[in-house]
């Protein structure tokens, strides 16, 4: 992922957006589910920045599962009951300097139709590097606590949270009938260092313990102990800061008043939270950055939230993040080390990704050994060679990014790295398509690395979520020839006797595995579509397709029909908001391959995905397709579209026979004439507001 965004062709941009979506999704699993980050905050943020820059230049290529639309997170891990959040726990967009923050403020003004110099008030809160949690109170009583998980569903850690002294068990009146309080569980620096030293001593004494790399990992591991008594021995603390689901009313109109109410209820609120304006926010940022090292806890930035709650409600959310809040990140830490090897990893789509192996180096208290090198263009740009001394950078996690090469320390005879011409897994030719920046294995179905990675993806927590079929077990099943395709997984019961003959595979383990497989024979359609591993069909695109086509049979029939250019099915596919031409092309190509159809049908004989609902059944526009055109007077089109989606509507880009409503403003153009010709109901802004209750 290299080169300027301005130099990318459309095809290169589409390919890079798909790769960024896949890389960021994998990083989310490592961070949120496994508590074992594989990339630094800085590298992760850089991916998101580049993704946003490409989307800004090529808005028609934005993926529905783009990182700009999907909330970071990962499905709940095994071992805890699952807890669904009343309101999704989404994430925040990032900014990295005064200009970025000014752009964020300008976007708010544009969305709300405010003047360019209209005053904006924010609450600034230090961004604690801990584990996000949601606390549910019913009639003022704490009833459940859950981790973020994948944003929609987390792990029920109620018993463990009850061991934290700073968690209010009851709220003093007045309180609403139900409320979700969001916050961060963390370890302060002194407690972390003491705990780390204790664990290191136990490890040296022969005990099988984990020595946490940083306070965030220590807090996450402590809160997710199977035995609450163990959690009780860890000095966990809690800061509260946000609100989720609410039943009833709150006597607050601003975020500042909400923080005061949390304090009155007995929660700890960060004492350095402060009201700022759009103009004074940079001063607060600089002041806190200067204090950062002396704070008793780790922070990696500042969160700025629009103070007026009514304006927050109007702004709403876009994809994974609120429009009214942003995280301003601090610069990353740096160190130098020596690069000793460049390894090649093969992904499920055949992408060959180079990874740097380095001499271990301590950066900010964390020992790091690896870094992704993205692709051969990035290696060429850096001119990084084996034996080079490199500058690496991290911002709180484990694996850094390579920033630059220290040429003065380059050893004699160091030669430029040569990309592989064959796949290290299957020996097939490795080629770089002219419109892509990655080299790919051409082995396809014969490449064991690709086949295995597809199976791992299929069974993953965010896809089919088959407990017991992690990478290690799948590698064994694949090597023994028992599982080569997804359908084979559901026929594994035929090999029960073989499994029982393996060392370490007792009757309980085998029967639990087979039961877990059988429990996934009716997965939600969106999970099934994501699990298929079609390029550019990530979580959000899968949800969009499931919502549009409702059932596997309808989706299959529509995709086969869409293979014909100019067909009604192809036009309908292209009209789905968020499905651009690159995504439609990937779907068509998947269904053009006979072996893919055969594998899909083989799988459909083993499982029956549950049909998806058309949308929010309670919304006034539930299941309706709405198109907006022209300039609206009382709200922007972005705000109107967000309202329609909240009410269960599909917002499309163009008018077709399947459009239910065309909402017209001033200078409506040709869409109004087309709607009239097709018999589509045309609404003016007032009629839309009445229908939507806006």
């Amino acid at each position: 992922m290299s080169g300027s965004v301005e130099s990318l062709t459309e095809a290169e941009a589409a390919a890079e957006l798909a790769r960024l979506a896949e890389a960021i999704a994998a990083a989310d699993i490592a961070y949120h589910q496994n508590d074992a980050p594989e990339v630094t905050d800085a590298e992760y943020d850089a991916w998101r920045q580049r993704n946003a820059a490409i989307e800004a230049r090529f808005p028609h290529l934005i993926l529905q599962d783009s990182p700009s639309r999907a909330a970071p997170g990962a499905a709940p891990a095994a071992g805890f009951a699952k807890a669904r959040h009343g309101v999704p726990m989404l994430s925040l967009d990032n900014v990295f300097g005064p200009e970025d923050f000014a752009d964020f403020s300008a976007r708010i003004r544009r969305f709300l139709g405010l003047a360019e110099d209209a005053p904006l008030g924010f609450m600034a809160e230090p961004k604690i590097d801990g584990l996000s949690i949601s606390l549910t109170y019913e009639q003022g009583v704490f009833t459940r606590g859950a981790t973020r998980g994948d944003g929609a569903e987390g792990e029920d850690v109620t018993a463990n949270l009850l061991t934290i002294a700073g968690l209010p068990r009851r709220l003093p009146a007045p309180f609403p009938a139900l409320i979700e309080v969001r916050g961060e569980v963390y370890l302060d620096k002194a407690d972390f260092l003491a705990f780390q030293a204790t664990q290191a001593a136990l490890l040296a004494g022969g005990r099988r313990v984990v020595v946490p790399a940083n306070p965030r990992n220590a807090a996450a591991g402590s809160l997710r102990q199977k035995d609450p008594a163990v959690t009780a021995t860890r000095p966990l603390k809690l800061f509260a800061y946000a609100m989720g689901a609410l039943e009833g009313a709150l006597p607050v109109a601003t975020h500042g008043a909400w923080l005061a109410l949390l304090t009155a209820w007995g929660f700890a609120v960060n004492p350095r939270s402060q009201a700022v304006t759009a103009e004074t926010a940079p001063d607060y940022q600089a002041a806190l950055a200067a204090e950062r090292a002396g704070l008793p806890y780790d922070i990696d930035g500042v969160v700025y939230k629009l103070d007026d709650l009514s304006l927050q409600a109007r702004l709403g959310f876009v994809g994974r993040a609120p429009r009214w809040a942003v995280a301003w990140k601090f610069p990353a830490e740096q160190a130098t080390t020596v690069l000793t090897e460049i390894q090649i990893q093969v992904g499920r789509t055949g992408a060959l990704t180079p990874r740097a192996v380095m001499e271990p180096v301590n950066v900010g208290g964390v020992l790091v050994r690896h870094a992704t090198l993205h692709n051969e263009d990035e290696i060429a740009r850096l001119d990084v060679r084996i034996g080079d001394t490199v500058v690496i950078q991290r911002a709180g996690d484990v694996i850094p990014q390579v920033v630059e090469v220290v040429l003065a320390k380059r050893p004699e005879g160091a030669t430029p790295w040569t990309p592989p011409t064959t796949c290290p897994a299957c020996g097939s030719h490795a080629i770089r398509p002219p419109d892509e920046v990655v080299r790919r294995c051409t082995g396809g179905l014969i490449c064991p690395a690709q086949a295995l990675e597809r199976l791992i993806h299929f069974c993953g927590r965010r896809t089919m979520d088959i407990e017991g079929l992690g990478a290690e077990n799948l590698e064994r099943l694949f090597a023994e020839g028992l599982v080569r395709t997804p359908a084979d997984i559901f026929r594994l019961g035929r090999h029960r006797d073989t499994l029982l003959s393996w060392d370490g595979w007792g009757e309980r383990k085998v029967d639990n595995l087979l039961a877990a497989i059988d429990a996934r024979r009716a997965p939600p359609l969106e999970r099934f579509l994501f699990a298929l591993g079609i390029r550019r069909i990530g979580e959000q695109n899968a949800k969009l397709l499931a919502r549009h086509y409702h059932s596997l049979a309808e989706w299959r029939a529509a995709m086969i029909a869409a293979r014909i250019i100019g067909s009604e099915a192809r036009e309908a596919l292209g009209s789905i908001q968020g499905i651009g031409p690159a995504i439609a092309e990937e779907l068509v190509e998947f269904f053009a391959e006979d072996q893919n159809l055969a594998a899909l049908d083989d799988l459909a004989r083993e499982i029956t995905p549950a049909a998806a609902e058309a949308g929010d059944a309670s919304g006034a526009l539930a299941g309706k397709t709405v198109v907006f055109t022209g300039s609206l007077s009382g709200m922007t089109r972005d705000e109107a579209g967000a309202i329609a989606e909240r009410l269960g509507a599909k917002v499309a880009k163009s008018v077709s026979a399947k459009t239910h409503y065309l909402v017209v403003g001033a200078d409506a153009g040709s869409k109004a004439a087309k709607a009239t010709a097709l018999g589509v109901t045309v609404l003016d802004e007032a009629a839309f507001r009445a229908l939507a209750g806006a």
Side-chain angles (χ1 to χ4, degrees), residues 335-342 356-361 369 373 378-392 402-417:
T336 59
T337 185
V338 175
L339 187 144
T340 60
E341 184 183 358
I342 296 178
V357 180
M358 302 171 296
E359 290 183 357
V361 61
R369 295 178 175 86
L373 288 169
E378 178 70 0
I379 293 175
R381 184 187 71 80
L382 292 168
D383 187 25
V384 63
R385 307 178 186 186
I386 293 173
D388 273 345
T389 296
V390 294
V391 177
I392 59 172
V402 176
V403 177
E404 63 177 314
V405 174
V406 182
L407 293 177
K409 295 186 177 182
R410 170 165 286 168
E412 291 185 14
T415 58
W417 179 77

Side-chain angles (χ1 to χ4, degrees), residues 65-81:
D65 64 338
S66 163
S68 65
R69 298 183 175 186
F80 290 93

Side-chain angles (χ1 to χ4, degrees), residues 36 117 231 347 593:
D117 58 351
T231 301
E593 296 290 338

Side-chain angles (χ1 to χ4, degrees), residues 299-319:
I299 63 173
D300 58 4
V302 179
V303 176
Y304 294 88
K305 300 173 183 175
L306 197 63
D307 198 30
D308 189 319
L309 297 183
S310 65
L311 293 183
Q312 286 188 15
R314 284 182 60 189
L315 285 160
F317 294 78
V318 56

Side-chain angles (χ1 to χ4, degrees), residues 80 131-137 142-148 155-169 181 183-186 219 222-225 227-229 231-232 234 236-238 267:
F80 290 93
L131 184 71
S132 299
I133 48 92
S134 181
L135 311 168
T136 301
Y137 289 81
F142 175 59
T143 57
R144 190 185 73 178
T147 63
R148 171 185 281 165
E155 300 157 345
D156 188 329
V157 290
T158 305
N160 293 20
L161 284 165
L162 285 169
T163 68
I164 300 177
L167 173 71
R169 273 56 169 177
V181 175
E184 202 85 0
V185 171
Y186 70 98
S222 297
L223 189 60
R224 298 169 74 196
Q225 291 291 318
D227 183 357
T231 301
R234 312 286 171 83
L236 295 174
K237 294 181 172 65
L238 166 70
F267 289 98

Side-chain angles (χ1 to χ4, degrees), residues 452-576:
L452 179 58
E453 288 295 326
R454 289 191 184 104
L455 289 170
I456 293 171
H457 170 77
F458 182 85
C459 297
R461 295 293 178 191
R462 297 162 63 220
T463 48
M464 294 293 286
D465 192 18
I466 302 178
E467 189 171 343
L469 274 188
E472 184 177 349
N473 285 342
L474 279 170
E475 287 172 5
R476 177 75 184 273
L477 293 166
F478 186 85
E480 298 289 345
L482 299 186
V483 172
R484 290 302 176 93
T485 70
D488 289 340
I489 292 168
F490 296 92
R491 295 189 283 260
L492 198 55
R494 302 175 187 177
H495 305 289
R496 183 175 182 274
D497 290 342
T498 300
L499 297 177
L500 289 172
S501 70
W502 293 356
D503 289 340
W505 287 63
E507 189 167 344
R508 182 178 179 182
K509 175 177 179 176
V510 171
D511 288 345
N512 284 345
L513 174 59
L514 297 179
I517 291 171
D518 283 338
R520 296 295 182 263
R521 289 188 182 271
L525 180 60
E526 63 266 22
R527 278 185 174 256
F528 175 79
L529 297 182
F530 180 33
L532 292 177
I534 302 171
R535 286 188 68 195
R536 297 192 173 94
I537 305 302
E539 266 182 296
Q540 297 304 315
N541 271 342
K543 289 178 183 178
L544 192 62
L545 292 169
R547 181 181 172 192
H548 190 88
Y549 293 107
H550 311 311
S551 71
L552 175 59
E554 185 178 346
W555 176 69
R556 181 187 184 281
M559 295 304 97
I560 290 175
R563 294 184 301 187
I564 302 174
I565 296 176
S567 65
E568 183 178 348
R570 184 67 168 265
E571 182 180 352
L573 175 61
S575 73
I576 301 172

Side-chain angles (χ1 to χ4, degrees), residues 371-456:
T372 179
L373 288 169
H374 305 301
N375 55 59
E376 57 197 70
D377 282 357
E378 178 70 0
I379 293 175
R381 184 187 71 80
L382 292 168
D383 187 25
V384 63
R385 307 178 186 186
I386 293 173
D388 273 345
T389 296
V390 294
V391 177
I392 59 172
Q393 162 174 298
R394 67 172 291 274
D397 289 333
V398 177
I399 302 175
Q401 66 182 117
V402 176
V403 177
E404 63 177 314
V405 174
V406 182
L407 293 177
K409 295 186 177 182
R410 170 165 286 168
E412 291 185 14
T415 58
W417 179 77
T418 303
T421 57
T422 58
C423 171
C426 69
S428 298
H429 288 298
I431 63 171
R432 178 176 172 177
D435 61 343
E436 297 192 16
V437 296
V438 299
R439 191 168 295 268
R440 294 187 182 275
C441 165
T442 60
L445 296 176
I446 72 166
C447 179
Q450 290 185 58
L452 179 58
E453 288 295 326
R454 289 191 184 104
L455 289 170
I456 293 171

